[in-house]
Amino acid sequence: MTDNNGIEKATHPDTGTAQQSGNSTAHRPTPADAAGHAEATPRESGTPKPGTHKPDSPKPHAVKPVPGPAAEHPVPVTAPAGSDPAKWGRVDEDGTAWVRTADGERIVGSWQAGDAAEGLAHFGRRFDDLATEVALLEARLAAGTDARKAKTAATALAESLPTAAVIGDVDGLARRLQAIIEHSDEAAAHAKEEKERTRHEQTERKETLVAEAEQIAADSTQWKAAGDRLREILDEWKTIRGVDRKVDDALWRRFSKARESFNRRRGAHFAELDRERASAKTRKEELCLRAEELSGSTDWAGTAAVFRDLLSEWKASGRAPREADEQLWRRFKSAQDVFFAARNAAASERDAEFEHNATAKEELLRSYEGVIDPAHDLDAARTGLRDLLERWDALGKVPRERIQELEGRLRTLEKRVRDAVDAQWRRTDPEAMARAAQFRERVAQFEEQAAKAQAAGRTRDAEKALEQAKQWREWAEAAEGAVSQR
């Protein structure tokens, strides 16, 4: 800038305040200078007297960075190498700065802060700053970043170029700006087309996920695998961006409906499983009554066959609730044992054979008692128990007074294996784990609702959803704790 005496003042690069040294002050370019804010004052040809005040020359418009998708598709911008201002202008001994263009020379300012070489370098640096702005606009245009804003900025720079206080290839810069202006509309159309293409692709991805979720909701009976897949779809859904808001909302409603439908079917399945277990309990109670009625029969062969049929029915009845199943089995087995004990008593003449059988069974128990160790290897223990039971039955009956002893030792082995099997089953109870997983899903749903409500400014709805999420989380933790403590 110049004071009223026509002496140029330089702006401090840190504070932005004008400073004056002696009769003139050297100018150091600031970011504002790069936008074309001229600090040098042009003097009219033929009136180079330093004491005469002239109005400041028009200043080119600053071009601000254009926000947009450039951050997603960065294009490196290389600052132009410093130009040689001596090829494009000069600074006279009296400080008058000139630039040469296709239309001839024109005055761009006055330099009073040093010798002519320093003035020439000063105006050259200002040109380089301006060229850097143009290069940035070119890079943004090439990257498809808001071409309309780039065009506006290029137009403003082109309009200010004829009066810019710079020394350099002004004509070349004008041609580059004109190229930006001419290609900006084409670039804008291309960017719009690319945006539409991306939106279409992302929409198709979500439509595919929705279709898969709806198929799972309608047909799948692989409850765990299907539930896991729905969670994976939700995770992938969250990574998809750029879908039209209305379309996105509609697809989300379809997806949510599919998840709810699946959860209802899964809940109905496990409810039906509970009903089946209740039915199995009723059926086994009936078998226990029939077994207890037959336990006093003396028709040894016929009743033994009936007991075998009852045992087959027992196995076909399915599993009752665990505690009831064990209790009913003890009743059924007790009734069966009563009958066979009575039959054995009636065959006392075979005591010798029975005693031999008892000795053999005692040896058999002794050989398996050290082998069946479910704590060491459950599968091997179960296999060993099956072998033991098969060999046990093959040995035949034993004297009545030895039954309790031998059967007790056998039942001890059976109980040891059965308890280990039950303990393993309790630790991996699929029903309890499924309930805990359902609770966790509800927590995630309410937390997501709270996030959407908070983002929409519905604070009360967000608080309500968070409260519900907290309740479901407590239930989930209780369910998970129940499984882990078994």
Side-chain angles (χ1 to χ4, degrees), residues 12-14 28-37 62-63 129 133:
H12 193 280
D14 296 325
R28 295 295 180 267
T30 67
D33 295 333
H37 290 285
V63 179
D129 292 341
E133 280 198 71

Side-chain angles (χ1 to χ4, degrees), residues 101-252:
T101 67
D103 297 329
E105 285 190 325
R106 67 175 175 86
I107 296 175
V108 296
S110 175
W111 176 257
Q112 303 295 329
D115 59 24
E118 291 176 338
L120 191 61
H122 165 73
F123 288 104
R125 286 193 297 272
R126 295 180 66 147
F127 175 83
D128 291 340
D129 292 341
L130 200 57
T132 298
E133 280 198 71
V134 175
L136 180 60
L137 291 176
E138 290 172 334
R140 288 179 176 174
L141 189 63
T145 305
D146 207 337
R148 297 188 185 280
K149 290 186 178 180
K151 179 180 180 181
T152 301
T155 301
L157 285 176
E159 291 173 351
S160 68
L161 203 55
T163 58
V166 298
I167 296 179
D169 186 7
V170 175
D171 293 333
L173 214 56
R175 288 191 294 273
R176 290 168 63 186
L177 288 169
Q178 185 60 33
I180 293 174
I181 294 170
E182 292 175 353
H183 290 91
S184 59
D185 290 338
E186 178 183 349
H190 177 74
K192 181 179 180 181
E193 180 181 345
E194 182 66 18
K195 183 177 181 180
E196 288 298 325
R197 184 188 63 79
T198 301
R199 178 180 298 169
H200 178 70
E201 290 177 352
Q202 299 297 70
T203 301
E204 283 188 340
R205 286 182 62 192
K206 285 199 171 182
E207 287 175 343
T208 300
L209 293 177
V210 167
E212 183 181 355
E214 290 173 338
Q215 187 275 327
I216 290 174
D219 303 326
S220 180
T221 56
Q222 302 296 321
W223 307 114
K224 184 180 185 307
D228 291 344
R229 178 54 188 155
L230 285 176
R231 285 189 290 274
E232 291 172 359
I233 290 175
L234 179 60
D235 290 339
E236 183 177 351
W237 185 285
K238 295 176 181 178
T239 66
I240 301 174
R241 298 289 185 273
V243 180
D244 179 77
R245 180 63 179 272
K246 291 184 178 180
V247 174
D248 197 29
D249 289 344
L251 291 174
W252 174 253

Side-chain angles (χ1 to χ4, degrees), residues 322 423 425-429 432 435 481-486:
R322 183 174 55 84
W425 182 87
R426 288 193 297 271
R427 289 193 299 270
T428 57
D429 183 2
R435 283 197 298 271
V483 173
S484 63
Q485 293 172 4
R486 289 180 177 180

Side-chain angles (χ1 to χ4, degrees), residues 81-100:
S83 60
D84 182 4
K87 293 172 58 178
W88 305 101
R90 58 191 171 83
V91 175
D92 294 342
E93 292 300 327
D94 63 357
T96 303
W98 302 80
V99 66
R100 285 189 295 273

Side-chain angles (χ1 to χ4, degrees), residues 246-470:
K246 291 184 178 180
V247 174
D248 197 29
D249 289 344
L251 291 174
W252 174 253
R253 285 193 294 271
R254 287 176 57 192
F255 177 59
S256 298
K257 182 179 179 181
R259 292 174 65 197
E260 292 172 0
S261 175
F262 172 78
N263 290 335
R264 284 195 299 271
R265 285 203 309 114
R266 181 169 57 182
H269 165 77
F270 286 108
E272 178 62 25
L273 190 61
D274 289 340
R275 287 191 290 272
E276 290 176 357
R277 289 177 176 174
S279 176
K281 178 183 176 182
T282 301
R283 178 58 180 156
K284 286 184 175 181
E285 287 174 343
E286 295 174 354
L287 293 175
C288 284
L289 289 175
R290 292 177 59 189
E292 289 166 349
E293 291 172 357
L294 291 171
S295 62
S297 173
T298 57
D299 182 6
W300 311 121
T303 305
V306 173
F307 265 111
R308 285 193 295 271
D309 293 340
L310 292 180
L311 183 60
S312 297
E313 291 185 41
W314 182 280
K315 295 177 180 179
S317 297
R319 189 177 183 85
R322 183 174 55 84
E323 294 183 0
D325 204 53
E326 292 178 355
Q327 181 181 4
L328 290 170
W329 172 250
R330 286 194 294 270
R331 280 184 60 190
F332 181 83
K333 190 65 169 64
S334 177
Q336 183 177 253
D337 289 345
V338 168
F339 167 76
F340 285 108
R343 190 184 69 169
N344 290 339
S348 56
E349 65 274 15
R350 300 169 57 186
D351 284 348
E353 178 184 353
F354 289 174
E355 188 63 40
H356 177 270
N357 293 343
T359 302
K361 285 189 174 183
E362 186 173 14
E363 290 294 331
L364 184 64
L365 283 171
R366 187 178 299 111
S367 64
Y368 277 90
E369 282 172 340
V371 174
I372 297 177
D373 184 5
H376 176 69
D377 188 339
L378 179 58
D379 291 336
R382 295 173 69 178
T383 300
L385 181 61
R386 285 195 296 270
D387 293 341
L388 170 60
L389 292 174
E390 290 175 1
R391 296 178 62 183
W392 181 276
D393 292 337
L395 290 175
K397 304 299 183 292
V398 299
R400 181 177 181 181
E401 63 273 12
R402 301 291 306 276
I403 291 177
Q404 185 174 0
E405 171 201 348
L406 297 176
E407 290 287 335
R409 290 171 62 183
L410 178 63
R411 298 303 166 236
T412 298
L413 288 177
E414 283 184 317
K415 186 176 185 304
R416 186 188 306 169
V417 175
R418 185 172 61 250
D419 289 348
V421 171
D422 290 341
Q424 182 187 52
W425 182 87
R426 288 193 297 271
R427 289 193 299 270
T428 57
D429 183 2
E431 181 181 357
M433 295 297 290
R435 283 197 298 271
Q438 288 178 351
F439 293 162
R440 286 295 182 188
E441 287 180 7
R442 293 293 292 170
V443 171
Q445 290 174 6
F446 283 117
E447 288 179 342
E448 184 176 356
Q449 291 177 11
K452 288 184 176 180
Q454 190 68 39
R458 302 195 308 274
T459 305
R460 181 172 297 178
D461 292 345
E463 291 175 351
K464 181 178 179 181
L466 288 174
E467 187 64 26
Q468 291 174 313
K470 178 181 178 182

Side-chain angles (χ1 to χ4, degrees), residues 9-25:
K9 296 181 180 180
T11 303
H12 193 280
D14 296 325
T15 65
T17 60
Q19 297 178 338
Q20 181 173 332
S21 174
N23 295 328
S24 62
T25 303

